[in-house]
Amino acid sequence: MAPDAGAPVEGPVLALRDIEKHYDSGEVSVLALAGVSLEVPRGQFVAIVGASGSGKSTMMNVIGCLDRPTAGTYLLAGFDVSALDTDQRAVVRSELIGFVFQGFNLLPRTTALENVEMPLAYLGVPSDERRERATRSLELVGLGERLHNTPSQLSGGQQQRVAIARALVTNPEVLLADEPTGNLDSRTTDEVLAMLQWLNRERGLTIVMVTHESDVAHCASRIITMRDGLIISDEAVAEPRRAQAPAGAEPWKVDRAGAELSPIDPSVKPAPGGLAWFMAFRLALRSLVRAKLRASLTALGILIGIAAVVTTNALGVGAQEKMKAQMTTLGVNLLVVMPAGMRSGGVRSAQGTGVSLTDDDAEAIAREVPTVGAVAPVVGASVQVVSGESNVSTRATGTTAAYFAVRSWAAASGALWSDEEVSTGAAACAIGETVRQGLFGSADPVGRELRVGAMPCTVVAVLARKGQSGLGQDNDDTVVMPISTFRAGINRMPNSQVNSIMVTARGPDMVRRAQDGITALLRQRHRIRPGAEDNFGVSNLSDLTSAFNEQTAIVSALLMVVASISLLVGGIGVMNIMLVSVTERTREIGIRLAIGARGRDILAQFLIEATTLAAIGGVAGLGVGVVASLLIGRLTDFSVGFSPDIAAVSMGVSGGIGVIFGFFPARSAARLDPIVALRRE
């Protein structure tokens, strides 16, 4: 039941032997208790009296395990508790001692039932049993009809009875009453004293009461008088004054056998006890609701930071997805073979300006590189295309039928020309959507004649819309015709030379192997010596995509850093509000510590409060970020995308902010001395 202090022994419930207590005040040591010895048998009602500074409050603090003696031995219910550490003394307070304070020390805006439940929560008692025991305890003091009233809805006497019920709920060995009637009028004073006498007489409860009023002290069966840290008299009261509660103010005297409190079964509470996480979460929410405006402004800082992070991420992901989609318009698993730039005077011009590739190279690649699929040689030129009175400037492309497979390009209307048209040099062409609109408007041009440069041509197909490529080109602004037709009527290149060769690998995992195979084959065909520079280049469009994604990631990272600054500011706001909260709630912390809370319970409560506050800001920020991203996408036609991990990351970051920035205030609260905290107004 109690901490590891050895097995209990028979004897008085309280035994103080040569107890001394020194307080250091600067360079001066104040002796508050000067070797006090005292024994209190079970079932006795003891009053401790004395003038201010006599040491009675210090002795009460030692008896209540709120303070540790400098010297001497203190046995409580047979356990030596004089040398216990802070947490062990908290367990003793929660299991063996019940406190009744002068100022009631009930938590405001908290019901009577919840106030009485509190010591059981710190013992780790399950919620159902906790509620049942608290109800029975309130019934025992005649407040069974006031379970859900807050302290502001109760009279002074009723509040003190709630405090007594809270002290009784753990079925303690001893009830400590520190000036229990100090804030009550004479009528209510008699009511409370009559209850204490009844609990002592009818229930056999050991009571130690500190008071400075003689008539109150004479309600006890024993009076101990202190002066200058010593007991100067210890006398039995032959005929204690019987306090008389006003008629109708003694509801506890009704037969309440059903409200009898039995000892807590240690087998049903988790060792070593402690505040349940759900209870701590409820306490955190309640505290935040009490300061709604302040909590909302603090959460706003987290909200802005998380929203900025989510929006930045969405725009970055959207840009990458858009780039990937645009690159896909060029073809799937695409490789482009280009001639190297011409060299003049030691200076190399841009890639593609040379003339090193031919139709034979394309045929060799298709024949000898097993990892490639379709291969299409390409020649091109800028031309004027005329139909009737309409004309457009566009790019004409001469190629083979494999070009449509390489570019994954289908016909929106009509039928694409085939290799048969290539071999016969047919004057057939397929036009893009941009050219169709420029020449024919919304009309279907299939079967219509047009002139490409000086060469007449029949439109056999309109190509499906592809839109803009990742390189900024309009894919649909084109005319595609057989390479033989192009060479015959538009641009005759010598020796079957081509501007480029477009190749698809057989699969995404074969792109690199196909690139290496093409390079090796062309070096052999072009008789390039080992170590010499290639007169061609093989471009992998996935490399271009990766390079773009890397640049996008860098920009996104920089924007993330800027967004994270607001998260830092929000975290500082969380720390500030928690420090203020600890200062404002110091007395509440003292109450919790006095009735059995351990430092780690207070730490958990305030840490959960900070984390909850940050998490609320994080959830709201996630929602705002998603909405903002969608609005930006709609208003600017900018592509947005959401990473599946962004929600988890956002919540993790906001929760981490709560833990990191809430830890210092929570630790400050956990380290408060219960005596100092209780005295804070």
Side-chain angles (χ1 to χ4, degrees):
M1 185 175 181
D4 297 334
V9 296
E10 296 297 330
V13 67
L14 298 177
L16 285 74
R17 298 167 186 165
D18 302 320
I19 294 295
E20 294 183 7
K21 181 60 184 179
H22 298 263
Y23 291 106
D24 293 327
S25 178
E27 298 180 356
V28 179
S29 179
V30 178
L31 182 62
L33 294 177
V36 173
S37 295
L38 172 68
E39 290 188 356
V40 178
R42 296 177 188 275
Q44 195 170 67
F45 189 169
V46 179
I48 302 176
V49 299
S52 297
S54 62
K56 63 182 187 299
S57 295
T58 301
M59 188 158 74
M60 177 66 86
N61 292 335
V62 171
I63 292 173
C65 292
L66 292 172
D67 207 349
R68 183 185 302 168
T70 306
T73 302
Y74 170 32
L75 300 180
L76 173 58
F79 294 100
D80 184 358
V81 298
S82 53
L84 297 181
D85 63 25
T86 302
D87 281 350
Q88 289 173 324
R89 292 202 307 275
V91 175
V92 169
R93 289 195 298 271
S94 64
E95 295 193 11
L96 301 180
I97 299 172
F99 279 96
V100 180
F101 302 97
Q102 175 180 353
F104 318 135
N105 281 346
L106 302 177
L107 298 185
R109 297 180 292 276
T110 302
T111 66
L113 186 64
E114 291 169 331
N115 267 289
V116 176
E117 280 188 77
M118 203 187 328
L120 300 175
Y122 291 119
L123 277 172
V125 176
S127 59
D128 291 343
E129 181 183 350
R130 199 165 61 226
R131 183 167 293 269
E132 179 185 353
R133 288 184 65 88
T135 301
R136 293 209 311 269
S137 187
L138 284 164
E139 289 174 350
L140 187 65
V141 298
L143 291 176
E145 303 300 321
R146 298 297 188 105
L147 300 180
H148 303 293
N149 288 100
T150 61
S152 63
Q153 298 169 326
L154 300 172
S155 66
Q158 289 171 331
Q159 290 185 58
Q160 194 63 292
R161 277 195 270 157
V162 173
I164 293 172
R166 183 179 62 191
L168 296 175
V169 74
T170 59
N171 198 21
E173 291 285 342
V174 60
L175 182 76
L176 300 182
D178 186 7
E179 299 281 4
T181 62
N183 290 337
L184 303 176
D185 57 41
S186 58
R187 179 180 182 277
T188 310
T189 293
D190 280 347
E191 178 184 337
V192 171
L193 288 173
M195 172 177 284
L196 294 178
Q197 286 182 326
W198 179 81
L199 289 169
N200 173 250
R201 184 177 62 253
E202 301 296 330
R203 302 287 174 169
L205 183 63
T206 304
I207 300 176
V208 178
M209 176 177 64
V210 168
T211 182
H212 64 278
E213 300 179 44
S214 176
D215 59 335
V216 172
H218 279 83
C219 290
S221 59
R222 179 183 177 188
I223 299 177
I224 296 171
T225 305
M226 297 192 66
R227 182 187 299 163
D228 298 331
L230 292 170
I231 295 176
I232 61 172
S233 71
D234 184 349
E235 56 181 321
V237 181
E239 293 291 336
R241 181 177 74 85
R242 184 66 64 89
Q244 296 295 326
E250 298 179 327
W252 61 86
K253 290 189 176 181
V254 186
D255 180 18
R256 298 184 182 279
E260 189 71 51
L261 295 176
S262 58
I264 296 174
D265 182 359
S267 66
V268 298
K269 72 174 190 291
L275 185 64
W277 287 104
F278 179 71
M279 182 70 173
F281 180 70
R282 285 179 56 196
L283 292 173
L285 283 181
R286 185 177 298 155
S287 298
L288 294 176
V289 168
R290 290 174 186 169
K292 293 187 286 291
L293 179 60
R294 186 169 62 188
S296 299
L297 292 175
T298 304
L300 182 62
I302 305 295
L303 183 153
I304 293 172
I306 292 295
V309 169
V310 172
T311 304
T312 301
N313 178 269
L315 295 178
V317 172
Q320 292 177 352
E321 290 179 351
K322 184 175 182 179
M323 178 63 180
K324 183 178 180 180
Q326 289 175 341
M327 286 297 185
T328 302
T329 64
L330 297 177
V332 180
N333 306 324
L334 181 64
L335 296 168
V336 179
V337 186
M338 299 281 289
M342 295 187 299
R343 185 177 294 276
S344 176
V347 177
R348 179 181 290 279
S349 59
Q351 187 181 44
T353 56
V355 286
S356 58
L357 299 176
T358 65
D359 289 339
D360 292 339
D361 289 329
E363 293 174 2
I365 291 171
R367 184 177 61 251
E368 301 182 31
V369 181
T371 52
V372 304
V375 179
V378 177
V379 293
S382 295
V383 295
Q384 194 80 7
V385 181
V386 180
S387 175
E389 297 181 356
S390 301
N391 69 89
V392 296
S393 294
T394 186
R395 182 168 182 80
T397 299
T399 184
T400 62
Y403 178 81
F404 302 114
V406 170
R407 295 289 309 275
S408 302
W409 215 337
S413 62
L416 298 173
W417 47 263
S418 65
D419 282 334
E420 183 177 349
E421 280 80 4
V422 175
S423 60
T424 60
C429 65
I431 63 175
E433 181 64 23
T434 301
V435 175
R436 183 192 71 81
Q437 292 179 0
L439 295 178
F440 304 102
S442 59
D444 185 2
V446 175
R448 302 278 292 273
E449 296 290 330
L450 49 77
R451 189 171 72 253
V452 181
M455 181 177 183
C457 185
T458 301
V459 178
V460 296
V462 177
L463 297 170
R465 185 188 297 272
K466 273 188 175 286
Q468 198 173 48
S469 73
L471 302 178
Q473 299 172 333
D474 183 0
N475 283 302
D476 301 315
D477 189 9
T478 187
V479 175
V480 184
M481 59 181 58
I483 192 171
S484 55
T485 306
F486 181 94
R487 284 172 172 158
I490 297 177
N491 190 354
R492 176 68 182 178
M493 297 183 70
N495 303 320
S496 300
Q497 291 174 346
V498 296
N499 296 125
S500 64
I501 301 173
M502 303 185 77
V503 183
T504 57
R506 291 189 178 276
D509 56 333
M510 296 185 181
V511 172
R512 187 66 62 184
R513 291 164 56 191
Q515 186 175 7
D516 294 341
I518 293 170
T519 301
L521 175 65
L522 293 182
R523 285 183 63 86
Q524 179 184 11
R525 286 182 54 81
H526 296 184
R527 295 181 173 84
I528 300 174
R529 297 188 303 274
E533 189 175 4
D534 293 340
N535 63 353
F536 62 91
V538 183
S539 299
N540 182 349
L541 291 189
S542 63
D543 290 340
L544 295 177
T545 304
S546 298
F548 177 83
N549 288 340
E550 288 177 5
Q551 295 298 320
T552 304
I554 292 173
V555 174
S556 297
L558 292 175
L559 293 175
M560 285 283 192
V561 170
V562 175
S564 298
I565 294 175
S566 59
L567 279 177
L568 178 62
V569 174
I572 294 173
V574 170
M575 179 180 289
N576 178 64
I577 192 176
M578 295 310 300
L579 286 172
V580 172
S581 181
V582 170
T583 302
E584 291 180 346
R585 295 160 59 190
T586 300
R587 187 172 180 83
E588 174 193 332
I589 295 169
I591 295 171
R592 294 182 182 278
L593 291 171
I595 63 175
R598 284 165 285 186
R600 69 187 187 197
D601 296 324
I602 301 299
L603 177 69
Q605 178 183 340
F606 280 85
L607 199 57
I608 290 175
E609 189 171 322
T611 305
T612 301
L613 179 61
I616 290 172
V619 171
L622 179 62
V624 171
V626 170
V627 172
S629 301
L630 294 176
L631 284 176
I632 291 174
R634 174 166 295 185
L635 295 176
T636 64
D637 199 28
F638 190 89
S639 178
V640 296
F642 297 98
S643 169
D645 298 330
I646 190 62
V649 171
S650 299
M651 293 306 301
V653 169
S654 59
I657 287 173
V659 172
I660 294 171
F661 288 92
F663 179 77
F664 176 74
R667 188 181 64 171
S668 299
R671 290 183 172 182
L672 282 173
D673 189 316
I675 299 174
V676 176
L678 282 170
R679 291 172 180 167
R680 183 74 62 86
E681 295 299 331

